[in-house]
Amino acid sequence: MNQKISQDFFQMVEKMPPFPKSAHRIMELAADINCNPKDLVQVIEHDPIVTMKLLKLVNSAFFSLAHEITSIRHALVYLGLNTVKNLALSIATIQSIPHKNLEHFNTHQFLLHALTTASIAQRIAPRFDPDLDTGDAFIAGLLHDFGKMVFAQFAPLEFSQAIELSIEKKQSLHLSEQAVMGMNHAEMGALLAEKWELPHQLIQCIRYHHQDSQAPLHCAVVVANQISKQLKFGNACNPVIDAFTPHIEGILGMNLSDFIESLDDLSTEASKAKKFIDI
Amino acid sequence: MKIKFWGVRGSIPTPGPTTVRYGGNTTCIEVRLDDDTLIILDAGTGIFPLAQSLLSDFPLSCHILNTHTHWDHIQGLPFFIPLFVADNNVHIYGAADPISQKGIDEILGTQLQYRFFPIRKVELKANIHYHSLTESHRIKIADATITPIMMNHPVINFGYRIDCYGKSIFFTGDHEPSYNIYDANDEEYSEYQSIMDDKQQHLIDTIQGVDVMIADCSYTPEEYPSKRGWGHGTYDSSIELAQQANVGKLYCTHHEPTRSDQALEDVFSQAMQRHPRQPQSPEYFLAQEGLEVSW
């Protein structure tokens, strides 16, 4: 797998199309001269591919902005509505190979996992640091498993083997990926994020989301990821749910199931995400 | 430093009896450094009469800073006579386009296509040099330092600060202050506001203390709500920015194309009544075609 990460590979990834529903919605919004900026931000924020590509572009040397852009709202303030709208449109209209649904990897279920992790991370972020930008937590949650999409698209056979190995051995997917491909999705996503010059804290969050860390943003994503899996909001093919680390349990003062109990209305996160996917 | 306004109208040229005094040409401002280096801010139709004034200086060297590539800021470029004459050196600076991923070097090629203009780019005899700029990189033109800063318009628009020999000027190009896209009771409101505030502070810091600011004052506050999102400011938004940045003099430009000379003076006078000058306030002026300012 390491040998695959060549210039050609990065170029292939750049051609990954957005999810059909968000592409359709972006085209609809772009055709409306009075489109509501809130709607545009929402549709971009709900598609990991459009989000990642937009962040990549606005943080690239091409713009060399004086400030690092960490979220779609941030991009809107710096570049203006029309430029963001047209950037999104140029991403949405990429004609490329369709997303692959593998036997064990369903893109719809994957998106549901990414979106619920994002919205839960956003909601619980202040528990780890009251000053944490909740928009950054949303994006980190949305993109934490981006590497899986890349595997599904460009190494479907090996990725399927890794998923099967995880199910069989009841071991975390990133370990099976490592065994089968010599690389796991966290590293894959981080390499892309690095190559695309995404904000540093986002790269770190993607790379280490299966490891322990003290960083508040990282903690929010790790916890949101376990909650999403525990409540079976979507499915990102990892059968293992990790218990809280002592650090996280120390901050929250309870374990995973008690924490889930303490949060009201978590099912609304799933229904909101489903509603969005089914637009 | 010296500036001369050759075009002060926004959007489209407006010749006719009602615009004789302030002028109907679109944006073009001549800037002369103390060593006579020529910098031209935008190439609206005002660049044509400017070009006529340069004929005796050939061969010349000049620097055109393009704020953005909307028509009213580039329309005069194919008629900029120095481009047609050998041994002139014309430098064109501006932002690259993120959508097409092309640099400022496509500006003339796009304008001078066979179907739209009788002369092609390859037939231009001057030495033309293109410089695609990015926000965080200052450049030098002769002894001047140019600082581009991203403004808010429906296309990438750079405002330019020019500093030379202790004198300074800032031109916004076209600019609408950002507005919060969320309602006050939306949970995203305060986060968006704080991003906007950071950007505004960056702008104020960049402009801080310039002698002269030339700013997009297209609308009155009454007109603005129906034009929100079009990418232009009001007299009031520019006055506020000039005050916050401790500017010496503010020249209001990009006059709304349907505004007659009389209407222009009326709306400006009303703006002055809303913002009576305090001892520390900037001085406020209407930009007028032919007006020269030296200091």
Side-chain angles (χ1 to χ4, degrees):
Chain A
M1 177 55 64
N2 276 313
Q3 285 145 5
K4 272 194 175 179
I5 308 188
S6 59
Q7 196 58 35
D8 290 352
F9 180 79
F10 283 124
Q11 279 172 7
M12 276 199 304
V13 176
E14 298 217 9
K15 288 185 185 142
M16 274 173 85
F19 288 89
K21 275 184 178 138
S22 41
H24 175 73
R25 185 81 182 114
I26 287 168
M27 284 189 257
E28 226 172 46
L29 288 168
D32 176 7
I33 198 167
N34 294 318
C35 100
N36 185 337
K38 285 199 270 191
D39 295 343
L40 184 72
V41 169
Q42 194 186 38
V43 71
I44 296 171
E45 281 182 343
H46 282 73
D47 188 306
I49 297 176
V50 183
T51 293
M52 190 128 169
K53 286 186 171 182
L54 232 150
L55 286 184
K56 169 199 168 230
L57 189 63
V58 298
N59 285 299
S60 67
F62 187 82
F63 273 112
S64 292
L65 289 176
H67 297 272
E68 191 174 56
I69 302 291
T70 58
S71 68
I72 300 306
R73 291 167 210 168
H74 203 174
L76 195 69
V77 171
Y78 273 79
L79 302 181
L81 172 64
N82 203 43
T83 298
V84 169
K85 185 162 86 171
N86 280 279
L87 285 172
L89 185 64
S90 68
I91 296 167
T93 48
I94 289 171
Q95 292 295 319
S96 189
I97 37 178
H99 292 285
K100 284 188 177 136
N101 269 325
L102 309 177
E103 188 186 345
H104 299 293
F105 184 85
N106 176 294
T107 52
H108 189 277
Q109 290 297 314
F110 170 82
L111 188 55
L112 199 51
H113 170 69
L115 284 172
T116 50
T117 304
S119 58
I120 296 167
Q122 181 174 36
R123 183 165 154 190
I124 64 176
R127 303 287 283 266
F128 297 98
D129 177 359
D131 296 329
L132 198 61
D133 187 320
T134 56
D136 290 357
F138 185 93
I139 284 207
L142 182 74
L143 299 179
H144 76 283
D145 270 347
F146 193 86
K148 289 183 190 170
M149 298 201 63
V150 178
F151 286 155
Q153 194 72 17
F154 300 110
L157 285 177
E158 295 93 330
F159 187 47
S160 292
Q161 282 171 23
I163 294 171
E164 279 162 19
L165 186 64
S166 268
I167 294 168
E168 185 191 318
K169 290 194 163 185
K170 294 191 173 54
Q171 81 175 1
S172 191
L173 181 57
H174 71 285
L175 300 174
S176 304
E177 291 164 344
Q178 198 71 41
V180 174
M181 297 183 272
M183 149 103 42
N184 66 57
H185 66 269
E187 187 60 22
M188 180 74 248
L191 278 176
L192 268 171
E194 224 160 39
K195 165 83 181 164
W196 289 355
E197 299 175 85
L198 265 49
H200 178 71
Q201 58 173 7
L202 182 56
I203 298 170
Q204 295 295 94
C205 233
I206 295 172
R207 175 166 281 135
Y208 299 118
H209 74 265
H210 285 293
Q211 295 178 38
D212 195 8
S213 161
Q214 313 274 312
L217 183 67
H218 177 273
C219 294
V221 172
V222 167
V223 171
N225 188 19
Q226 306 317 317
I227 295 175
S228 174
K229 284 189 289 185
Q230 177 74 40
L231 297 179
K232 298 190 167 45
F233 294 158
N235 182 3
C237 301
N238 188 354
V240 177
I241 297 160
D242 298 324
F244 283 171
T245 61
H247 173 69
I248 287 173
E249 197 161 322
I251 291 173
L252 297 176
M254 57 188 108
N255 63 22
L256 175 62
S257 52
D258 290 343
F259 187 55
I260 290 174
E261 278 291 308
S262 76
L263 296 170
D264 292 336
D265 286 339
L266 274 177
S267 59
T268 57
E269 307 295 345
S271 50
K272 270 193 291 185
K274 266 188 199 143
K275 197 172 152 201
F276 200 86
I277 295 171
D278 292 337
I279 283 172
Chain B
M1 199 175 261
K2 187 182 96 174
I3 55 172
K4 181 170 182 180
F5 293 98
W6 292 91
V8 296
R9 193 63 56 173
S11 309
I12 190 162
T14 56
T18 65
T19 56
V20 169
R21 278 187 290 132
Y22 285 89
N25 278 309
T26 62
T27 304
C28 180
I29 303 155
E30 175 183 2
V31 179
R32 290 279 179 178
L33 304 180
D34 289 348
D35 67 359
D36 213 35
T37 297
L38 173 58
I39 297 175
I40 300 167
L41 294 167
D42 278 339
T45 59
I47 206 171
F48 182 62
L50 164 61
Q52 308 286 333
S53 77
L54 301 173
L55 302 181
S56 58
D57 297 339
F58 289 2
L60 61 68
S61 179
C62 66
H63 305 265
I64 300 174
L65 295 178
N66 171 254
T67 60
H68 66 296
T69 48
H70 282 165
W71 273 110
D72 51 330
H73 296 254
I74 63 168
Q75 201 171 355
L77 197 55
F79 293 89
F80 187 55
I81 299 159
L83 291 172
F84 299 97
V85 180
D87 299 328
N88 287 329
N89 279 287
V90 180
H91 295 261
I92 300 176
Y93 307 75
D97 170 39
I99 310 297
S100 66
Q101 298 272 307
K102 288 183 176 156
I104 193 66
D105 48 306
E106 73 162 355
I107 186 171
L108 270 168
T110 303
Q111 287 186 293
L112 305 187
Q113 294 175 71
Y114 152 76
R115 192 176 177 194
F116 302 106
F117 203 74
I119 298 163
R120 286 171 305 134
K121 189 178 165 187
V122 291
E123 296 174 278
L124 301 176
K125 293 205 168 53
N127 302 313
I128 306 172
H129 315 269
Y130 300 96
H131 310 267
S132 287
L133 306 180
T134 55
E135 184 189 47
S136 48
H137 292 102
R138 291 185 174 146
I139 54 159
K140 294 289 281 185
I141 294 177
D143 287 329
T145 302
I146 315 295
T147 309
I149 179 169
M150 190 87 81
M151 308 299 286
N152 183 44
H153 198 57
V155 68
I156 300 299
N157 180 109
F158 280 141
Y160 292 110
R161 176 175 174 138
I162 304 173
D163 285 272
C164 194
Y165 306 131
K167 297 170 186 173
S168 53
I169 178 174
F170 180 74
F171 177 43
T172 60
D174 289 2
H175 173 61
E176 174 181 9
S178 302
Y179 56 89
N180 200 319
I181 63 169
Y182 294 98
D183 300 323
N185 52 0
D186 288 340
E187 60 184 87
E188 299 91 344
Y189 181 87
S190 59
E191 184 200 326
Y192 199 86
Q193 189 63 40
S194 111
I195 303 171
M196 281 172 42
D197 292 346
D198 284 351
K199 187 184 181 219
Q200 184 67 7
Q201 193 56 51
H202 178 55
L203 178 60
I204 293 167
D205 292 345
T206 302
I207 303 172
Q208 194 59 234
V210 289
D211 304 319
V212 169
M213 171 167 131
I214 303 165
D216 175 352
C217 299
S218 291
Y219 305 128
T220 65
E222 293 75 31
E223 292 163 345
Y224 177 70
S226 63
K227 323 273 188 189
R228 199 170 82 149
W230 291 17
H232 299 290
T234 63
Y235 294 95
D236 302 67
S237 65
S238 293
I239 287 170
E240 190 187 342
L241 179 60
Q243 288 174 346
Q244 289 170 330
N246 298 305
V247 164
K249 293 177 176 174
L250 167 66
Y251 286 86
C252 299
T253 191
H254 205 276
H255 304 319
E256 207 281 332
T258 62
R259 214 167 326 269
S260 68
D261 290 330
Q262 189 55 54
L264 194 54
E265 288 180 344
D266 289 346
V267 296
F268 183 68
S269 147
Q270 287 156 16
M272 292 302 95
Q273 284 166 21
R274 287 192 299 277
H275 302 276
R277 277 201 73 218
Q278 307 299 318
Q280 299 303 316
S281 297
E283 291 181 75
Y284 307 117
F285 304 92
L286 273 175
Q288 184 169 15
E289 211 169 296
L291 176 67
E292 290 186 41
V293 185
S294 310
W295 70 102

